[in-house]
Amino acid sequence: MAYESQKMLTPGDLLDDKGQLAQCGYATSLVKEYDRSKIKAGKLRIKEWDYYCITGKECVLCLTIADNSYMSLDSISLLFPDKHTQIQKSMMDLMTLGRVGLPASSKQGDVKVQKKGYTLSFLNDGTKRVLDVHLDDFNGGRPLTAHVELTDEPRDSMVIATPFTGHPRHFYYNQKINCLRASGDVSFGGETYTFSPETDMAVLDWGRGVWTYSNTWYWGSLSTVCDGKAVGLNLGYGFGDTSAATENMLFVDGVAHKLEHVTFEIPKNAAGSDDFMKPWRIHDNDGRLDLTFEPVLDRTDCTSVLVIESDQHQVFGYMTGVAVTDEGEEIRIDHALGFAEKVKNRW
């Protein structure tokens, strides 16, 4: 099913000579060429990141290398959703202004951060992604080491070029690659946890753009196996002008099926605030997606430093329900581990 309101991106430069998006819309591969030197907005507004979330049977490993211009962020999280426990460590550096050197494309390129006490590297030769981590002190003086290889990149991914209303030189260019097959292990606290490509998968969130100061986004992701098929979901909304396209897609054995608008129904507590740990409902406007999301762990991070504020709730839990392909096939999802988040930033 195609939606006339959603525009497909065509190959070419991402930005025009004015530093504005040459085209707004979505694609299933990285068809637009990102060139940081063409950005005409203030240098402190540029934000670039690579984020990987590897979901295994025993644990979840989340890795981030980000350059937000006025600061960089390197982050490692080890989560045990069924045990309701998590450990996270983040390191920052000021006024990096692009010196972290994140690649201009997700197709190939390396980034490596090596500083006192830790090394974090993402290597990509165009065929295989290799993620390596070592921290001397991850928690309680105990080191963490991880080596993960991601292969079998699916044919399709979610790509979107989003403008921000009233800010013509602001934009977000984003790719989400679901269902990358993961192998390797992570060692911490005398235990080693193994990732197996037959059952364990990863998602890449590759983001490049110029962001407005205040925004709120919702994002949900699932990479799993259902009845022998690799099934992925990328769901999100809340930031920028998505009238040209939304980022909502279902993936079945590497083939994308475009959804239109989705809603995250997050329960409220007695005070009227979000109650993230009660079951959510996630659904679309066209009857093609209806999920119950049962949270088991809220990976929360709240920061307030001078004019910078961030309230992040990345909630891990189990999704159950139905998603429908463009051809009308019903994909049954039964208690599959994924995450859904709500993030408020003033940055």
Side-chain angles (χ1 to χ4, degrees):
M1 180 183 295
Y3 299 100
E4 292 183 0
S5 61
Q6 301 205 41
K7 310 299 183 185
M8 284 286 291
L9 297 172
T10 55
D13 291 338
L14 178 70
L15 302 178
D16 62 19
D17 292 339
K18 296 180 180 179
Q20 301 178 15
L21 283 175
Q23 188 183 21
C24 307
Y26 80 96
T28 58
S29 64
L30 206 69
V31 296
K32 292 295 187 184
E33 299 295 328
Y34 171 75
D35 183 347
R36 183 186 176 101
S37 69
K38 287 192 171 186
I39 293 175
K40 304 295 185 183
K43 294 184 183 299
L44 293 180
R45 304 309 311 157
I46 303 173
K47 304 184 188 302
E48 303 175 331
W49 64 73
D50 287 5
Y51 165 82
Y52 288 94
C53 179
I54 305 103
T55 302
K57 297 181 292 298
E58 300 174 290
C59 69
V60 175
L61 180 66
C62 302
L63 306 173
T64 303
I65 298 178
D67 189 333
N68 294 326
S69 295
Y70 56 81
M71 52 83 76
S72 66
L73 175 69
D74 307 317
S75 181
I76 299 94
S77 297
L78 184 62
L79 302 94
F80 302 91
D82 290 336
K83 296 179 181 178
H84 313 289
T85 60
Q86 61 175 316
I87 304 169
Q88 178 172 315
K89 189 163 187 176
S90 299
M91 292 70 68
M92 298 182 185
D93 198 5
L94 295 177
M95 300 302 292
T96 45
L97 296 169
R99 290 194 301 274
V100 173
L102 284 152
S105 172
S106 70
K107 298 174 185 177
Q108 190 170 348
D110 305 334
V111 60
K112 182 175 182 178
V113 180
Q114 189 167 12
K115 296 183 179 179
K116 184 179 179 180
Y118 77 97
T119 300
L120 180 59
S121 70
F122 302 159
L123 308 182
N124 176 16
D125 64 5
T127 301
K128 177 172 64 177
R129 300 168 191 271
V130 180
L131 318 179
D132 279 300
V133 189
H134 178 80
L135 286 86
D136 292 341
D137 179 5
F138 181 55
N139 181 259
R142 296 171 294 176
L144 177 142
T145 300
H147 176 84
V148 180
E149 297 186 359
L150 304 179
T151 57
D152 300 282
E153 182 172 327
R155 186 194 77 179
D156 292 343
S157 61
M158 191 294 302
V159 174
I160 190 169
T162 305
F164 289 85
T165 303
H167 300 269
R169 293 176 177 175
H170 288 53
F171 66 91
Y172 183 40
Y173 188 40
N174 181 220
Q175 181 181 36
K176 307 279 180 41
I177 304 177
N178 287 74
C179 300
L180 292 160
R181 297 285 180 167
S183 61
D185 54 58
V186 52
S187 298
F188 171 70
E191 300 288 341
T192 297
Y193 308 96
T194 301
F195 298 110
S196 170
E198 290 76 23
T199 55
D200 302 334
M201 295 183 178
V203 60
L204 166 64
D205 175 11
W206 182 93
R208 306 290 186 268
V210 178
W211 282 73
T212 54
Y213 172 61
S214 180
N215 40 70
T216 298
W217 74 67
Y218 300 81
W219 178 35
S221 183
L222 176 70
S223 294
T224 189
V225 177
C226 297
D227 295 327
K229 298 178 180 179
V231 173
L233 283 170
N234 185 80
L235 310 170
Y237 63 100
F239 60 88
D241 176 4
T242 55
S243 60
T246 69
E247 66 172 276
N248 302 307
M249 285 188 186
L250 163 69
F251 302 96
V252 181
D253 282 339
V255 177
H257 303 265
K258 190 71 181 71
L259 305 175
E260 196 174 28
H261 299 287
V262 300
T263 301
F264 291 10
E265 292 187 4
I266 305 172
K268 302 289 185 180
N269 58 26
S273 300
D274 292 324
D275 192 340
F276 291 102
M277 294 305 293
K278 287 186 178 178
W280 307 16
R281 184 183 174 216
I282 302 175
H283 59 94
D284 75 330
N285 64 319
D286 204 35
R288 294 180 57 194
L289 179 74
D290 197 347
L291 300 174
T292 298
F293 177 59
E294 301 174 80
V296 294
L297 178 64
D298 182 2
R299 177 178 173 249
T300 182
D301 187 10
C302 297
T303 304
S304 181
V305 181
L306 299 176
V307 297
I308 307 302
E309 296 180 12
S310 182
D311 184 4
Q312 304 181 24
H313 292 268
Q314 185 183 31
V315 182
F316 287 81
Y318 291 93
M319 297 184 183
T320 300
V322 176
V324 180
T325 69
D326 291 341
E327 295 77 27
E329 178 188 1
E330 289 191 353
I331 304 297
R332 297 279 175 178
I333 298 167
D334 184 16
H335 201 66
L337 181 64
F339 64 81
E341 68 179 29
K342 180 180 181 181
V343 175
K344 293 182 181 180
N345 278 331
R346 293 165 63 87
W347 61 341

